[in-house]
């Protein structure tokens, strides 16, 4: 049994060229252009968050508490 709580996942769906991300309250969405980072908070991101994949087709997301 792990001794630490796991972070919740980001749920995602697609609407045309948009990626729609949703996550639980109390978490901040972070983004990076490389999977290894560095990751930065998106201050204006609230769930659900829409990302236009035509503007940036390669973008990585994660949650921070």
């Amino acid at each position: 049994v792990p001794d630490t709580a796991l972070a919740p996942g980001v749920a995602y769906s697609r609407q045309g060229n948009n990626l729609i991300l949703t996550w639980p309250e109390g978490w901040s969405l972070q983004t990076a252009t490389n999977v290894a980072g560095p990751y930065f908070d998106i201050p204006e991101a609230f769930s659900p968050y829409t990302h236009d994949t035509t503007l940036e087709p390669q973008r990585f997301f994660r949650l921070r508490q």
Side-chain angles (χ1 to χ4, degrees):
V1 177
D3 62 351
T4 58
L6 299 176
V10 176
Y12 60 92
S13 62
R14 186 174 174 179
Q15 280 182 334
N17 291 326
N18 291 326
L19 177 66
I20 312 299
L21 304 170
T22 58
W23 62 93
E25 189 175 326
W27 294 82
S28 297
L29 187 65
Q30 294 187 315
T31 188
T33 56
N34 185 311
V35 71
Y39 282 82
F40 300 97
D41 287 353
I42 306 173
E44 70 278 5
F46 297 97
S47 182
Y49 178 78
T50 302
H51 173 72
D52 185 346
T53 60
T54 59
L55 298 176
E56 292 182 297
Q58 182 171 313
R59 179 61 63 174
F60 300 90
F61 297 94
R62 72 179 187 187
L63 295 177
R64 177 186 66 77
Q65 191 171 33

